[in-house]
Structures are given as C-alpha cells and as structure tokens.
Amino acid sequence: MTMHQRQLDLRSGCVDLSHGAGGRAMAQLISGLFHEAFGNGWLARGNDQSAFDVAAGRMVMTTDGYVVSPLFFPGGDIGSLAVHGTVNDIAMAGARPLYLSASFIIEEGFRFADLKRIADSMGEAARAAGVPIITGDTKVVERGKADGVFISTAGVGVLPDGLDLSADKARPGDRVLLSGSLGDHGVAIMSKRQNLTFDTEIVSDSASLHGLVADMVAAGGHGLRLMRDPTRGGLAATMNEIAQQSNLGFRLQEDAIPVKPAVAAACELLGLDPLNVANEGKLIAVVSPDVAGAVLAAMKAHPLGRDAADIGEAVADDHRFVQMATSFGGGRIVDWLSGEQLPRIC
C-alpha cells in the first residue's frame, strides 16, 4: 500500500509541530527533504539505525553540537559546518572518517526553504568529504524554544595501524606547524552578525581536513605527536590546552603566524585578538624536528595547507607557559581567552 503524501511547500511553507510528532507529516519531512539532500542507500532503508562493516583495528568516535548564529554566513552555513567540524574531530586523531549521524532540533515556524538550504549544504559537504550521513533524528519544538535550528552530530572513523596521537607524546624541541591563516571563520561570523562590510570579503575557512591529515600522516608517520583544530578560543586556547596536557611550554614566533591583512584589520576594528578567534578549517600539529620539514612540505602541497607555517617549538617549562616573540622584538605570554569573545561561533 502506498501512503498518500502531499508535497512539502518548499518555497513558502514552514515547519510546524506535526513535523516532529512521529506521524505522516514527519515522514513526509524526512523523506521529502532530508533523504533528498543526504541521499544514500543506508537512509533509503528507512530504519532507525544503520548497519555498516567494522574495519579491523582501532575505531574513533566523536559527537558535537552546532548552534552557530547566524545560520548562514560568508563561506558556509550551519549544515556544512556540522559536517566539517565532525569530520575534523575524527581527523585530528589521524583517523579516516567513515560515517556520520545528524540530529535536528527545529523551531516551529522555521521556513522549509531555509531548512532545505541547510540540508542540501550538509549533503553536499558530506559527499565532498566521502563521509555519508547514514542515520539521524528530527525533533520540532515550540516557537521561541530554539533559534531556528540546532544540529547534533556523531561520527566514526578508523585509525591507521600503530598511529597514536596524544599531547603526552610531545617532547622539548618538537616543532609547531599551523596549516594556514588564523581568524577567517570568526571574523566572517562577526561581520555577518554586525552587518559589517570590508574592501575584501572575508569568508569562513570551514572545510573538512581529513585529506590534508592523510598526507601529513604519510609524510610524518610516527614523528607526528598530536594534532588539534583551533576552533573556539582559537590558537591561544588550543596551545594552552596542549601545554597543560603535555607538561611543556611553547615558544611561538608572531612573524611566522599567518593572518590575512583583511582579517587583521577587521580584528583591530572589532577589538579582537586573531589568536583568540575561532577557526573551522585549520589545524595545529606538533611534530618531531626530524620530520617537521617533510610534514610541512606535505601540508604546503595540499590545497588546504598551502599557507602552512612553522610557528614555534615546544620547550621544557614547569609553568607550562605559551610565550610569543613579538614582531617588535619583545615577548609576551599568550594566555587563555578570558570570558566569551565571540558567542555561538560553531
């Protein structure tokens, strides 16, 4: 028997409470919008879960939530951001991402057109990454109980044999590599939020980094100590986290840290420090000096690492300070971000 379903009005219709009530309207939303956007054989089976083959060896699993405001920003939106962020959380272990799940909390009255735009973007990002979304969930809450849409994700991946990246692997003398310019994502969000325009458009750096990571693993092997993506809190918070976990200090060179002139100017206008601003398509790697040159060359050869730089080194320091030699010949401590510089950035 074929269930009769009226078409979603994707141009002017809105989500209502019936689309989360478990009935015909919800089935219509899932099949007519999400399955269309994510389209793959796992979702087509219509189960509440998906079965997949498990590779031999160690698996990696992560989960995350996305509440960014605004939902659409230069260079991306909450849908693509959710895919990129989850893929990158897996990739920072050196793992190859395999599958994603996605759960949506949607506010009553949210426009179908915007939801479709988000789902299409999410599906495109997943296909580009080669990491399908194979299961998910949908809930609808009353008007005023959410801010349009929130997305929760989970992801699984598989680690190459023998690879074990962790902050406690870092040693004095290790080099700190950064894959590209800082602050693009955070400034893109802030400019959209404040309706600011600049001579050069600043777009988010949101991207899936697992391809870049695979090239780095191939070049550096066991000389790779750890990798992190400097999202909330930016480079400053991430380096302080690594210092605490490794019981080491770090010395960074300000002149070596890439920041685009437009981003630097915007940060000065907004009163932001680029070191504290969030990134969604960049990574930090701490590597043995023996392989630093090879890993940096591999990064520069990849489209997402062409502006990669060696920005400093790990040092023995019981205080676990992150210090920076400034471009004026002085020095300063790079401290944790105090308070919330940019709320709801991811």
Side-chain angles (χ1 to χ4, degrees):
M1 181 175 69
T2 301
M3 182 175 64
H4 173 71
Q5 294 183 352
R6 57 187 170 86
Q7 293 294 311
L8 293 173
D9 181 359
L10 296 176
R11 176 173 296 181
S12 56
C14 296
V15 174
D16 61 44
L17 292 176
S18 70
H19 292 105
R24 178 173 295 177
M26 183 171 170
Q28 180 188 29
L29 176 69
I30 292 172
S31 62
L33 197 148
F34 291 119
H35 285 190
E36 287 290 323
F38 302 160
N40 57 60
W42 290 277
L43 292 177
R45 299 184 70 180
N47 297 322
D48 284 339
Q49 70 294 120
S50 286
F52 54 87
D53 294 333
V54 178
R58 290 173 300 155
M59 305 290 291
V60 173
M61 181 175 181
T62 188
T63 185
D64 210 339
Y66 295 85
V67 297
V68 63
S69 177
L71 298 173
F72 302 97
F73 48 82
D77 56 71
I78 190 172
S80 57
L81 180 68
V83 171
H84 295 154
T86 311
V87 166
N88 291 345
D89 282 347
I90 297 168
M92 291 308 102
R96 179 168 61 89
L98 296 177
Y99 304 107
L100 302 176
S101 73
S103 175
F104 293 79
I105 297 177
I106 309 165
E107 184 178 359
E108 178 187 15
F110 194 66
R111 297 176 64 242
F112 281 138
D114 288 337
L115 188 60
K116 184 178 188 308
R117 184 178 169 192
I118 290 168
D120 286 347
S121 173
M122 201 167 182
E124 183 177 344
R127 285 188 290 275
V131 187
I133 300 166
I134 64 170
T135 189
D137 186 47
T138 304
K139 297 289 190 300
V140 178
V141 297
E142 295 89 344
R143 195 182 300 266
K145 300 293 186 182
D147 192 4
V149 61
F150 298 148
I151 301 175
S152 295
T153 56
V156 295
V158 61
L159 273 171
D161 286 344
L163 192 65
D164 183 18
L165 305 186
S166 176
D168 61 8
K169 306 283 186 184
R171 298 290 181 268
D174 283 350
R175 304 305 305 180
V176 180
L177 308 181
L178 174 64
S179 67
S181 60
L182 292 180
D184 301 37
H185 177 70
V187 171
I189 294 285
M190 183 58 76
S191 64
K192 180 70 173 178
R193 196 177 291 167
Q194 301 296 331
N195 291 318
L196 299 176
T197 57
F198 304 99
D199 290 341
T200 301
E201 185 181 22
I202 299 171
V203 300
S204 170
D205 59 359
S206 180
S208 292
L209 297 171
H210 58 307
L212 172 62
V213 167
D215 289 352
M216 294 170 65
V217 170
H222 296 291
L224 278 170
R225 312 293 201 199
L226 66 107
M227 287 186 279
R228 295 285 168 82
D229 50 344
T231 54
R232 283 177 298 173
L235 177 70
T238 304
M239 291 308 304
N240 276 282
E241 285 177 3
I242 296 171
Q244 294 298 315
Q245 294 163 356
S246 64
N247 289 315
L248 295 173
F250 288 90
R251 290 183 185 141
L252 307 180
Q253 300 292 324
E254 184 176 34
D255 285 344
I257 298 173
V259 180
K260 293 174 181 172
V263 171
C267 285
E268 186 173 351
L269 175 67
L270 296 167
L272 304 174
D273 184 340
L275 300 184
N276 295 134
V277 178
N279 313 273
E280 289 292 345
K282 301 295 177 348
L283 65 82
I284 299 164
V286 177
V287 303
S288 163
D290 297 338
V291 301
V295 175
L296 185 60
M299 295 169 77
K300 286 180 173 292
H302 192 279
L304 295 178
R306 64 169 66 95
D307 296 323
D310 182 332
I311 64 169
E313 65 177 343
V315 297
D317 181 357
D318 292 338
H319 299 291
R320 294 174 286 186
F321 286 148
V322 179
Q323 305 176 57
M324 187 162 69
T326 69
S327 55
F328 296 106
R332 71 178 176 98
I333 298 295
V334 178
D335 206 353
W336 297 85
L337 175 65
S338 178
E340 187 73 13
Q341 189 178 35
L342 295 173
R344 295 183 56 187
I345 209 77
C346 58

